[in-house]
């Protein structure tokens, strides 16, 4: 599967768009915000910066895209006004690079920039300084920027996506379905499937680190948020059960004669939720970065919005919300493989399965937030 050609969040602002269904990703960004603030302050404390290079890798589109920029500007303005002893030029400018795959909905971002700039000027006033925002499309599993041009790199909800489906899972090449009836790692997956996914993630993450090491200045920092798991076992429910239910929904459509079982057997999600040990091992082996901190947070499948506000839980509504959130992210891949006509029915089945599951267990995502420092 050519992931770079078909993976993109649902475009526009419609009912199934990513812009309307990204509450989980917004929750993840809000959790990481204090960590991002600390990282920016440490960069400013140790460097006299006149032009600060910032990259947001896997920026997607919608309301979350420009959230990071606002947060960073707030940190810098507070640092100027509070005289925190940071190395700030009065004319410090920000060079912000928004990155995602070529298929990303960059037009929606560009259309929102005039209003964003006006809002910045109204809220921040003369303390704002110059902010230059541009797009850099392409895969972050490779070089994107000139050498030593970046001081801060951020990536949220992106690094769990692989550059490709692990090559060893090709059912045609193997002559049989290696992961029958499943679309990701599960309790029934043979060890070769687990090993293939782990190896692909290690290779991708190592290439990501190598590429950023060439692009970042010494002392620069990265804050990386990605889906993970709490233990070394990749078959834990927090790691894979959302995919297990989606496979169940697909097999329901098989039983209804809407898709062929071979189509399910030949689909493998280009996704991997690592454990903390895998991240640490890859960083140690690559050698260009020091680990500053590594945190794990639990996130409700639906983002936790309604029950946090009202202390209640609507299983049916929550199931539909989770299904819409997942659909906004994975529909482009599923549509490419299974066709467009079954999508509405598939995700209705998926919503019902999720509602039933949540009535028995409040399974949560595990989100890992990693802060690393580029060695001098």
């Amino acid at each position: 599967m050519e992931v770079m050609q078909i993976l993109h969040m649902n475009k526009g602002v419609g009912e199934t768009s990513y812009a309307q269904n990204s509450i989980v990703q917004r929750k993840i960004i809000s959790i990481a915000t204090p960590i991002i603030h600390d990282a920016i302050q440490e960069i400013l404390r140790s460097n006299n910066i006149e032009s600060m290079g910032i990259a947001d890798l896997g920026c997607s589109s919608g309301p979350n895209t420009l959230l990071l920029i606002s947060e960073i500007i707030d940190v810098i303005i507070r640092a100027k006004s509070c005289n925190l002893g940071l190395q700030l030029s009065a004319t410090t400018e920000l060079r912000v690079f928004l990155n995602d795959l070529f298929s990303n909905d960059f037009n929606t971002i560009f259309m929102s920039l005039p209003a964003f700039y006006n809002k910045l000027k109204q809220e921040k006033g003369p303390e704002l300084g110059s902010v230059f925002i541009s797009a850099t499309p392409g895969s972050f599993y490779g070089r994107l920027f000139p050498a030593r041009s970046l001081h801060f790199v951020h990536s949220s909800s992106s690094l769990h996506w692989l550059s490709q489906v692990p090559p060893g899972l090709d059912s045609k090449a193997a002559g049989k379905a290696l992961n029958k009836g499943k679309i990701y790692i599960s309790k029934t997956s043979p060890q070769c499937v687990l090993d293939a996914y782990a190896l692909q993630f290690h290779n991708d993450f190592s290439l990501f680190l190598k590429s950023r090491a060439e692009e970042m200045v010494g002392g620069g920092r990265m804050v990386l948020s990605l889906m993970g798991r709490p233990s070394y076992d990749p078959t834990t429910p927090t790691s894979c059960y959302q995919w297990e239910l989606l496979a169940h929904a697909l097999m329901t459509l098989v039983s209804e004669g809407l898709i062929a079982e071979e189509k399910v057997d030949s689909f493998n999600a280009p996704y991997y939720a690592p454990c903390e040990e895998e991240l640490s091992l890859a960083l140690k082996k690559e050698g260009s970065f020091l680990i500053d901190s590594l945190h794990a947070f639990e996130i409700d499948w639906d983002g936790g919005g309604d029950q946090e506000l009202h202390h209640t839980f609507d299983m049916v509504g929550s199931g539909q919300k989770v299904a819409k959130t997942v659909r906004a992210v994975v529909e482009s891949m599923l549509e490419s493989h299974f066709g467009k006509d079954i999508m509405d029915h598939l995700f209705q089945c998926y919503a019902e399965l999720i509602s039933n599951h949540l009535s028995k267990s409040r399974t949560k995502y595990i989100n890992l937030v990693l802060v690393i420092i580029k060695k001098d």
Side-chain angles (χ1 to χ4, degrees), residues 63-75:
N64 296 335
T65 302
L66 300 176
L67 193 58
L68 171 74
I69 304 171
S70 296
E71 294 291 346
I72 292 173
I73 291 171
D74 284 343
V75 174

Side-chain angles (χ1 to χ4, degrees), residues 79-95:
K80 287 180 178 180
S81 62
C82 297
N83 191 23
L84 298 176
L86 307 183
Q87 301 296 313
L88 276 172
S89 166
T91 58
T92 296
E93 64 183 24
L94 302 183
R95 294 173 285 111

Side-chain angles (χ1 to χ4, degrees), residues 6 34 56 68 70 72 117 129 132-133 143 149 190 195 212 230 234 303 308 315-316 373 376:
I6 63 172
D56 189 15
L68 171 74
S70 296
I72 292 173
Y117 280 128
F132 304 99
I133 302 174
R143 287 290 302 275
S149 62
D195 293 343
R212 304 294 83 76
E308 286 181 0
M315 287 179 295
V316 174
I373 307 169
D376 290 326

Side-chain angles (χ1 to χ4, degrees), residues 10-21 324-325 327-328:
N10 279 357
K11 300 178 180 181
V13 293
E15 183 182 352
T16 63
S17 68
Y18 180 79
Q20 297 295 328
N21 298 283
K324 284 185 177 181
T325 299
R327 180 176 185 171

Side-chain angles (χ1 to χ4, degrees), residues 250 253 258-259 334 338-347:
L250 285 165
L253 270 61
L258 297 176
I259 55 177
L334 294 173
F338 295 102
K340 185 175 183 178
D341 293 343
I342 66 164
M343 289 299 115
D344 287 342
H345 184 39
L346 171 64
F347 282 99

